[in-house]
């Protein structure tokens, strides 16, 4: 091949690969001889997907012209006209070309389409071609590099920790190496959540700790607020504050603001995250959900950024769900994921992915499909696009990314790619579009809380541990004033709670052994540790007053109002006694239970205080109170009738009103077993029902209902009423068989309420079902905290579920099996109903959760009828009293606990927690309101007078000094006070 032929070949190749204005400039300077002009018969064209760089430094739309009939050769001019702008481009070829890339004038076709005309002239000959140029925004695409933290999903928890701690170091080192790259291509690592950082720093040497601090300050490592990817809808109110404590600590350690809460995989988020995030200085929420598996309608909120306002009407955060994670990386990620999944030998785990072809399996296809889709929509008028770059779950970092982005940005002007962290993405949205974004209120009720029912026993343990930890901290403040609280132990207990609430339970293929069992046992260990630690912390607080085998019983109230209730003394503690006397020497009614415990009624226990009671050997005081006869319970306030055939509560009479819906197929506490995929009508109930009396007054009476039930070795239901109390206690024990076919157990409660409205207690809010839920929220099953209320205009029922946090409305709507992507079974609207179902347990998931559960599992419920309209204050107090019961322990002789403080004002305002710091000289007091208007309450400091009381605001930084004791609590909100004391 001659030199002349080589030159011609290269020129032809360049015409296909290089921008038109570059080629025309080259052609103008070319001195090689040109053959006779040859004009094609006509032209065709194609608008290219992306913008190219023009020679003038601006961006131009690229149109590829194709010469038909014959090639073009010689010299010519292409005149381009579009949207009122014109340009002339010189064209020259000695050997003939059959296509030519033309870049349109700057800013043509950006916001509106246009008709582009191309006239190719050579000598006196001309040909014309027109093509429609659709609008194409000049996109900035932010790429968020991360590896999804799925603790136990693809490997053991220990190995997942190894993977993500390695990613920290490798990510930082890659950021250092690419620090000199053009802006946008410089690497930065996102650990996604703080768990890998916290685990690394836990054992880090001083120089290693400084290494992390420096990386954060230089932008090599981004820290976001979430500790783990969790089920926020299942998190208790104070749990959310403890969950963000790690971000507060790292903010202090690094001196760098943490302004974004990142949630990956889990579809949906609790409304209570908004005020808690705002109180911790978090301005943004960046949520990338799973995208397909059991996500329901949550994708309706994808690519729709909005200001999410809290129920108090004051706090708000900017929320963005930019689709799912791993959208463009699947092709590459799934090449490496099989090499990581199940590989328990850490020496064989990949640490980094680096290839010779960084642009292979890149963003081209994804952006070419997704960006035009968003441009056609009427909900995304923004030219910012955020996308995940994670190859899969628990995978190494993709070290090709900086070179791929650098190469892309050299080739294309737009979309312009930027490797970034979540805060940069969200801040850019706020700066460019913050005043244009809609404001939404409502709960983004989560979908994956159905997984909690796959290990119902552990879920119950965690719910109890959370409430106990709140009581532990309040009790420490009550009993050990001025003493440093064991903050490290408390923090670790809450961390185990968080690891329980975290969204991952077991191996991705639950049938694989032994890895599934190994992972599951570690997961179950978090629940056990949280339980053990919370009990140990309570014992530590009580140790200030406790004395084993003392006949003096102290009863402690950790809530902010005076209360009464039944107290049980263990058989071991009470076996030498048969009666109880109060602190005034009055003999009280007591009752020995069939299980050996001694029960008495403790009355008027002051807020944050206690009363002492003495165990005695006297005759029991003869009183008739709560009695059982056959299948009927009656305490003079409530009358409860048990159906002989079904064991359901078929009658609940209170104040002359019947609260059971007689027309419903199931009544109250009706057992329903539903096989996976079946319609609710196919649910089976109990059989061979046997009713006996377990306890029979004078303080409490219990009817015991035993029966056969599908899915169980035996079903036991205990219904209890107490003297003087207007509510029912229910304890259902399922002796579960290990069944791997899809199944679910539901307990139905069909109430007789006219025109019912259901309101549920959620973290830092009260949600009216349906009307207070966002459009993409889960309506098939709803997760709540301590109580829900079904009320009409004149009466209603407050209902508590202490163990199972998920309920359904109207019928059994949770029987959805498999991934259920786009399933018509997902509910878009909930119609008013007075029937609720407690979704006690299930095994509906095909991945990540246990396939079955067995043994005795307890589900406790409380039912409080009321002949008044809904009262949020009463409902909230009732729920708190059930979740945080009176605490009884043998104590030393002496004065009972004197309350630190009391509050006067609205009963709709309660103290959520009293929390002493590690020095003992500061007490945090958090007030929560369930009132629909602002409330003013007065704090009365009774035993210790604080030197100062400060209201904590954004990021827990002091916002306002309080000189008086009157505190204004926002409607449906909370306020945090820091009371400072002398040492």
């Amino acid at each position: 091949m001659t030199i002349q032929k080589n030159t011609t070949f290269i020129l032809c190749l360049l015409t296909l690969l290089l921008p038109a204005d570059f080629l025309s400039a080259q052609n103008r300077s070319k001195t090689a001889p040109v053959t006779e002009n040859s004009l094609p018969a006509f032209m065709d064209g194609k608008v290219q997907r992306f913008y190219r760089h023009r020679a003038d430094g601006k961006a131009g739309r690229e149109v590829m012209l194709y010469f038909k009939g014959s090639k073009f050769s010689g010299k010519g001019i292409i005149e381009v006209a579009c949207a009122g702008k014109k340009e002339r481009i010189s064209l020259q070829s000695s050997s003939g070309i059959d296509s030519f890339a033309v870049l349109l004038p700057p800013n043509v076709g950006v916001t509106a389409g246009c008709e582009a005309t191309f006239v190719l002239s050579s000598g006196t000959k001309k040909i014309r071609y027109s093509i429609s140029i659709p609008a194409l925004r000049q996109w900035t695409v932010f790429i968020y590099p991360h590896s999804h933290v799925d603790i136990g999903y693809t490997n053991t928890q220990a190995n997942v920790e190894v993977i993500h701690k390695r990613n920290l170091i490798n990510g930082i080192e890659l950021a250092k190496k690419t620090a000199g790259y053009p802006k946008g291509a410089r690497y930065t690592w996102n650990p996604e959540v703080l768990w890998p950082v916290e685990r690394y720093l836990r054992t880090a040497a001083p120089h290693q700790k400084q290494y992390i601090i420096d990386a954060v300050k230089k932008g090599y490592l981004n820290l976001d607020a979430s500790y783990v990817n969790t089920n926020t809808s299942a998190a208790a109110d104070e749990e959310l504050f403890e969950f963000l404590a790690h971000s507060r600590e790292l903010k202090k350690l690094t001196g760098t603001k943490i302004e974004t809460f990142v949630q990956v995989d889990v579809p949906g988020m609790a409304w209570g995250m908004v005020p808690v995030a705002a109180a911790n200085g978090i301005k943004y929420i960046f949520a990338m959900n799973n995208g397909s598996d059991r996500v329901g309608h949550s994708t309706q909120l994808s690519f729709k950024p909005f200001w999410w306002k809290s129920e108090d009407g004051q706090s708000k955060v900017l929320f963005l769900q930019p689709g799912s994670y791993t959208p463009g990386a699947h092709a590459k990620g799934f090449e490496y994921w099989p090499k990581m999944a199940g590989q328990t030998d850490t020496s064989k785990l990949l640490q980094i992915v680096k290839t010779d072809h960084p642009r292979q399996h890149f963003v081209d296809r994804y952006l070419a499909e997704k960006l035009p889709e968003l441009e056609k929509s009427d909900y995304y008028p923004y030219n910012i696009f955020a996308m995940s770059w994670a190859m899969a779950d628990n995978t190494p970092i993709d070290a090709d990314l900086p070179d791929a982005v650098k190469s892309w940005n050299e080739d294309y002007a737009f979309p312009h790619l930027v490797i970034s962290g979540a805060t940069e993405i969200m801040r850019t949205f706020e700066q460019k579009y913050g005043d244009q974004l809609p404001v939404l209120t409502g709960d983004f009720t989560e979908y994956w809380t159905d997984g909690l029912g796959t290990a119902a026993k552990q879920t119950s343990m965690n719910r109890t541990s959370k409430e106990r930890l709140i009581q532990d901290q309040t009790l420490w403040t009550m009993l050990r004033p001025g003493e440093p609280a064991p903050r490290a132990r408390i923090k670790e207990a809450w961390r185990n709670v968080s690891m329980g609430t975290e969204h991952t339970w077991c191996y991705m293929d639950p049938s694989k052994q032994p890895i599934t069992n190994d992972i599951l046992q570690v997961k179950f260990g978090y629940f056990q540790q949280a339980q053990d630690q919370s009990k140990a912390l309570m014992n530590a607080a009580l140790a200030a007053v406790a004395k084993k085998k003392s006949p003096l019983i102290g009863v402690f109230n950790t809530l902010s109002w005076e209360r009464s209730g039944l107290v049980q003394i263990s058989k071991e503690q009470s076996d030498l006694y048969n009666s109880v006397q109060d602190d005034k020497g009055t003999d009280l009614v007591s009752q020995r239970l069939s299980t050996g415990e001694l029960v008495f009624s403790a009355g008027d226990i002051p807020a944050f205080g206690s009363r002492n009671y003495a165990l005695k050997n006297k005759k029991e005081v003869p009183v008739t109170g709560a009695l059982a006869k056959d299948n009927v319970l009656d305490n003079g306030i409530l009358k409860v009738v048990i159906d002989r055939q079904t064991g359901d509560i078929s009658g609940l009479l209170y104040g002359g009103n019947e609260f059971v819906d007689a027309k419903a197929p199931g009544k109250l506490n009706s057992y329903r077993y539903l096989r996976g995929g079946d319609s609710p009508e196919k649910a089976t109930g109990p059989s061979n029902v046997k009713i006996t009396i377990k306890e029979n007054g004078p303080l409490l009476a219990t009817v015991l209902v035993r029966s056969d039930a599908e899915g169980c070795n035996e079903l036991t239901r205990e219904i209890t009423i107490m003297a003087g109390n207007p509510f029912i206690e229910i304890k259902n024990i399922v002796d579960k068989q290990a069944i791997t076919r899809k199944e679910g157990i539901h307990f139905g409660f069909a109430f007789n309420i006219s025109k019912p409205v259901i309101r549920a207690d959620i973290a830092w809010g009260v949600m009216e079902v349906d009307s207070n839920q966002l459009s993409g929220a889960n309506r098939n099953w709803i997760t709540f905290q301590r109580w829900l209320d079904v009320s009409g205009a004149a009466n209603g029922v407050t209902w508590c579920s202490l163990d199972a946090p998920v309920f359904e409305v109207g019928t059994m709507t949770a029987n959805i099996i498999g991934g259920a992507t786009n399933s018509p079974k997902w509910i878009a609207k909930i119609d008013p109903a007075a029937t609720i179902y407690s979704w006690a347990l299930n095994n509906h998931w095909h991945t990540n959760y246990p396939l079955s559960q067995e043994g005795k599992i307890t589900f406790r419920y409380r039912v409080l009828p009321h002949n008044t309209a809904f009262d949020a204050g009463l409902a909230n107090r009732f729920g708190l009293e059930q979740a945080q019961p009176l605490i009884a322990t043998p104590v030393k002789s002496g004065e009972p606990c004197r309350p630190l403080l009391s509050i006067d004002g609205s009963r709709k305002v309660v103290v959520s927690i009293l929390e002493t710091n590690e020095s003992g000289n500061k007490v945090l007091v958090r007030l929560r309101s369930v009132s629909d208007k602002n409330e003013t309450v007065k704090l009365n400091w009774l035993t210790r007078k604080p030197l100062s009381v400060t209201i904590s605001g954004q990021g827990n930084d002091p916002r306002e000094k309080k000189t008086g004791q009157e505190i204004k609590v926002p409607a449906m909100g909370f306020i945090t006070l820091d009371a400072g004391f002398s040492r």
Side-chain angles (χ1 to χ4, degrees):
M1 185 179 287
T2 64
I3 294 176
Q4 176 64 43
K5 288 181 179 178
N6 275 331
T7 304
T8 303
F9 173 77
I10 292 170
L11 178 61
C12 291
L13 182 61
L14 289 173
T15 62
L16 297 175
L17 299 178
L18 295 179
D21 47 1
F22 177 84
L23 288 175
S24 61
Q26 297 299 308
N27 289 338
R28 285 193 294 272
S29 65
K30 185 175 175 63
T31 58
V34 177
T35 60
E36 184 180 350
N37 291 350
S38 173
L39 209 61
F42 63 95
M43 291 187 291
D44 197 359
K46 181 179 180 181
V47 182
Q48 299 299 86
R49 293 172 171 175
F50 308 122
Y51 285 83
R52 293 278 192 178
H53 298 283
R54 289 167 50 95
D56 58 10
K58 298 178 181 179
R61 296 290 297 280
E62 184 180 28
V63 178
M64 183 65 71
L65 295 178
Y66 299 98
F67 303 138
K68 303 294 184 178
S70 63
K71 295 182 179 181
F72 171 83
S73 61
K75 293 182 179 180
I77 297 292
I78 295 180
E79 296 181 7
V80 183
C82 191
K85 295 185 178 182
K86 297 181 179 180
E87 283 190 349
R88 291 166 58 88
I89 301 171
S90 297
L91 183 62
Q92 183 172 324
S93 174
S94 59
S95 60
I97 55 175
D98 55 13
S99 62
F100 191 76
V102 177
L103 297 189
L104 299 182
N107 299 317
V108 167
V110 178
T111 58
C114 63
E115 192 74 12
T117 301
F118 303 89
V119 178
L120 172 58
S121 59
S122 181
T124 60
K125 297 179 181 179
K126 294 183 178 182
I127 59 172
R128 179 185 295 269
Y129 173 70
S130 294
I131 187 171
S132 179
I133 309 293
L136 179 66
R137 297 178 202 160
Q138 294 185 345
W139 290 90
T140 298
V141 174
F142 289 96
I143 299 179
Y144 178 86
H146 65 118
S147 171
H148 177 43
V149 181
D150 222 340
I151 308 170
Y153 186 59
T154 63
N155 215 314
T156 64
Q157 290 90 344
N159 285 351
V160 169
E161 182 177 327
V162 169
I163 291 167
H164 288 285
K165 289 198 293 191
R166 283 176 178 176
N167 284 348
L168 279 181
I169 306 306
N170 292 332
I172 292 169
E173 291 304 309
L174 184 58
K176 288 181 178 181
K177 290 177 183 177
T178 59
Y181 275 29
K183 192 175 181 181
R186 299 167 190 165
Y187 197 71
T188 185
W189 178 244
N190 299 291
E192 191 178 274
V193 293
L194 294 176
W195 175 75
V197 184
E198 182 267 336
R199 294 286 88 185
Y200 180 86
L201 293 175
R202 182 174 60 99
T203 57
H207 72 279
Q208 292 172 317
K209 183 178 292 187
Q210 191 60 48
Y211 173 84
I212 296 294
I213 294 171
D214 291 344
V216 172
K217 289 183 175 181
K218 292 177 181 178
Y220 300 154
L221 177 66
N222 301 301
L223 301 183
D224 295 307
S226 184
Y227 179 64
V228 290
N229 294 299
T230 196
N231 289 123
T232 55
S233 288
D237 41 21
E238 289 298 333
E239 181 183 359
L240 291 179
F241 274 97
E242 295 294 339
F243 186 68
L244 294 179
H246 303 276
S247 69
R248 296 194 297 271
E249 292 174 1
L250 284 167
K251 171 186 172 183
K252 184 177 180 180
L253 177 67
T254 63
T256 304
K257 289 183 178 180
I258 299 178
E259 297 182 304
T260 305
F261 182 91
V262 171
Q263 175 94 309
V264 179
D265 210 6
V266 182
M269 188 173 294
W271 198 3
M273 274 305 309
V274 178
V276 176
N280 282 274
I282 296 165
K283 301 167 62 177
Y284 313 115
I285 293 178
F286 187 69
M288 297 171 286
N289 72 17
N290 178 273
S292 60
D293 210 348
R294 298 183 75 77
V295 300
H297 293 305
S298 66
T299 53
Q300 290 181 5
L301 292 178
S302 291
F303 309 106
K304 295 179 181 178
F306 60 90
W307 289 107
W308 197 6
K309 185 181 286 188
S310 67
E311 197 169 3
D312 63 16
Q314 297 183 1
S315 310
K316 68 176 183 179
V317 296
L318 180 56
F319 183 94
L320 173 63
Q321 180 174 280
S324 64
Y325 75 103
T326 69
H330 274 309
K332 187 172 188 176
F334 285 129
E335 182 180 338
Y336 295 96
W337 196 31
K339 300 175 183 178
M340 300 287 286
Q343 176 54 265
T344 56
D345 185 345
T346 55
S347 67
K348 296 179 181 179
L349 290 171
L350 292 173
Q351 290 200 42
I352 198 167
V353 172
K354 184 74 175 116
T355 72
D356 295 329
H357 308 284
R359 285 277 292 275
Q360 192 174 15
H361 302 308
F362 199 45
V363 298
D364 311 52
R365 183 174 179 180
Y366 178 65
L367 296 183
E369 293 174 356
K370 198 66 192 177
L371 298 185
E373 175 188 319
L374 292 177
E375 292 214 35
K376 291 176 184 177
S377 72
D378 59 358
Y379 58 81
Y380 201 86
Y382 322 109
N383 62 8
I384 299 171
F385 180 72
M387 63 173 289
S388 154
W389 194 258
M391 289 186 290
D393 310 326
N394 308 319
T395 47
I397 70 170
D398 180 9
D400 284 338
L401 183 60
D403 291 314
V405 170
K406 179 174 178 289
S407 172
W408 173 282
N409 288 341
E410 289 169 351
D411 281 355
Y412 299 112
F414 293 104
H416 179 69
L417 307 187
V418 179
I419 301 174
S420 70
T423 297
E424 181 183 0
I425 297 168
M426 301 302 293
R427 187 181 293 134
T428 305
F429 256 109
E430 180 184 22
Q431 291 171 348
K432 292 196 70 173
Y433 303 110
D435 58 352
Q436 303 172 34
L437 299 177
V439 178
L440 301 182
T441 60
D443 187 55
F444 194 5
T445 318
E446 284 179 342
Y447 286 81
W448 287 5
T449 50
D450 56 341
L452 300 173
T454 66
K457 184 179 294 185
Q458 285 71 29
T459 295
S460 171
M461 288 171 64
N462 225 25
R463 282 172 69 80
T464 303
S465 294
K466 297 171 190 183
E467 302 292 355
R468 189 183 295 115
L469 278 169
I470 295 170
Q471 289 189 283
D472 290 346
Q473 296 181 77
T474 298
L475 198 61
W476 186 278
T477 305
M478 290 167 51
L479 299 181
R480 296 179 175 272
E483 291 187 40
R487 299 309 311 173
R489 293 172 61 190
I490 293 169
K491 175 185 173 184
E492 182 60 17
W494 276 113
R495 195 190 76 82
N496 278 306
V497 164
S498 293
M499 295 302 290
T501 310
E502 193 266 339
H503 79 301
T504 320
W505 286 68
C506 72
Y507 191 61
M508 59 184 184
D509 182 353
S511 67
K512 293 289 179 67
Q513 295 294 346
I515 189 169
T516 292
N517 187 63
D518 292 344
I519 292 170
L520 199 55
Q521 291 312 306
V522 172
K523 178 72 174 184
F524 287 172
Y526 299 137
F527 299 102
Q528 188 64 54
Q529 290 174 70
Q531 176 177 277
D532 294 345
Q533 289 161 346
S534 65
K535 287 181 176 180
L537 284 164
M538 180 165 287
N539 289 335
L542 289 170
V545 296
K547 181 183 179 182
K548 287 184 178 181
K549 287 293 183 179
S550 169
L552 194 64
I553 303 298
V555 178
F556 299 88
N557 176 15
T558 58
L559 298 176
S560 56
W561 60 93
E562 183 180 276
R563 59 190 288 209
S564 302
L566 289 189
V567 173
Q568 288 191 16
I569 308 300
S570 70
K571 182 179 184 297
E572 293 74 22
Q573 177 68 24
S574 64
D575 59 355
L576 298 178
Y577 308 95
N578 61 8
S579 62
V580 180
Q581 198 174 77
D582 69 12
D583 51 4
K584 296 178 181 177
T586 304
D587 292 330
L588 302 180
V589 179
S590 60
Q591 178 180 344
R592 181 72 65 178
L593 300 182
S594 61
T595 49
E597 295 94 340
L598 186 67
V599 180
F600 70 94
S601 180
D604 305 327
I605 312 298
F608 302 130
S610 71
R611 289 186 69 181
N612 290 341
Y613 297 83
L615 297 177
K616 297 290 184 179
N617 276 311
K618 288 189 175 182
K619 263 190 162 183
E620 296 180 1
V621 180
V623 173
T624 299
L627 293 177
K629 185 177 181 180
D630 198 7
N631 64 325
V632 178
L633 294 160
D634 194 339
N635 66 358
I637 302 172
L638 289 171
K639 183 178 181 181
V640 180
V641 180
I642 313 298
D643 187 277
R644 297 178 186 276
Q645 299 300 314
T646 65
D648 299 352
I649 298 173
S650 57
L652 174 57
L653 197 67
Y654 171 71
N657 291 325
E658 176 58 69
F659 282 84
V660 177
D661 183 358
K663 298 178 181 178
K667 303 302 186 282
L668 301 191
N669 200 36
S670 58
Y671 177 90
R672 290 294 178 268
Y673 183 88
L674 191 56
R675 297 193 179 205
D678 282 355
S679 61
E681 295 76 22
K682 294 184 178 181
T684 62
S687 59
N688 298 322
V689 173
K690 297 177 182 178
I691 298 176
T692 57
I693 295 174
K694 182 179 180 181
E695 314 291 349
N696 203 359
L699 283 179
L700 64 83
T702 301
V703 167
L704 181 64
V705 182
R706 285 195 171 96
S707 61
D708 296 333
E710 188 176 1
C712 305
N713 295 313
E714 184 182 48
L715 169 65
T716 303
R717 288 175 284 175
E718 296 183 11
I719 299 91
T720 299
I721 61 172
M722 293 147 286
N725 284 329
F727 64 91
I728 312 171
E729 286 190 357
I730 296 171
K731 181 165 71 172
N732 298 333
I733 303 170
V734 296
D735 188 355
K736 189 72 185 65
Q737 298 169 349
I739 295 173
T740 57
R741 69 166 186 269
K742 300 307 178 187
E743 61 173 357
I745 290 178
H746 313 247
F747 289 101
F749 294 81
F751 297 113
N752 180 32
I753 307 293
S754 178
K755 297 181 180 180
V757 176
I758 299 177
R759 300 171 179 89
D761 173 42
I762 60 174
W764 305 114
V766 177
M767 179 190 75
E768 187 173 316
V769 167
D770 196 63
S771 64
N772 284 155
Q773 293 180 270
L774 295 176
S775 61
N778 189 2
R779 287 166 167 82
N780 286 70
W781 58 87
I782 298 170
T783 306
F784 76 119
Q785 294 304 313
R786 301 179 177 108
W787 58 268
L788 65 79
D789 187 274
V790 186
S791 286
N795 63 354
V797 174
T798 301
W799 179 87
C800 301
S801 174
L802 301 180
D803 305 289
V806 178
F807 70 95
E808 307 150 286
V809 177
T811 185
M812 287 167 277
T813 53
N815 201 31
I816 297 179
I817 306 302
T821 307
N822 301 319
S823 169
K825 291 185 177 181
W826 295 114
I827 298 172
K829 181 175 175 53
I830 298 176
D831 294 324
T835 295
I836 56 173
Y837 282 88
S838 171
W839 194 18
L841 60 80
N842 72 89
N843 63 350
H844 287 183
W845 271 90
H846 55 90
T847 183
N848 186 43
Y849 291 102
L851 293 175
S852 66
Q853 49 196 314
E854 63 182 322
K856 292 184 178 181
I857 308 172
T858 300
F859 301 97
R860 296 165 296 160
Y861 304 96
R862 305 286 189 266
V863 181
L864 172 69
H866 52 83
N867 285 318
T868 58
F870 170 69
D871 186 318
L874 291 178
N876 192 50
R877 287 190 172 194
F878 178 69
L880 277 163
E881 287 179 356
Q882 308 317 306
Q884 298 180 22
L886 293 169
I887 299 167
T889 190
V891 295
K892 308 167 188 174
S893 59
E895 290 294 317
C897 169
R898 297 177 60 198
L900 170 66
L901 59 83
S902 66
I903 61 171
D904 296 332
S906 174
R907 67 185 179 191
K908 294 182 179 180
V909 176
V910 301
V911 174
S912 178
I913 195 170
L914 297 179
E915 183 179 297
T916 300
N917 71 350
E918 62 277 3
S919 301
N921 63 350
K922 185 181 287 188
V923 173
L924 178 150
V925 182
R926 191 143 35 236
L927 302 172
R928 179 195 179 185
S929 174
V930 292
S931 174
D932 56 6
K933 66 181 189 300
N934 294 339
E935 299 283 358
T936 298
V937 298
K938 184 179 180 182
L939 291 188
N940 305 303
W941 298 93
L942 303 177
T943 55
R944 298 175 71 201
K945 303 294 182 182
L947 300 176
S948 65
V949 178
T950 304
I951 294 179
S952 295
Q954 294 278 327
N956 279 351
D957 296 324
R959 173 167 59 87
E960 180 184 342
K961 294 285 184 180
K962 295 299 296 184
T963 54
Q965 301 305 317
E966 285 196 344
I967 306 295
K968 183 179 179 181
V969 185
M972 301 306 300
F974 61 80
I975 198 163
T976 303
L977 308 174
D978 286 330
F981 299 87
S982 59
R983 291 183 181 275

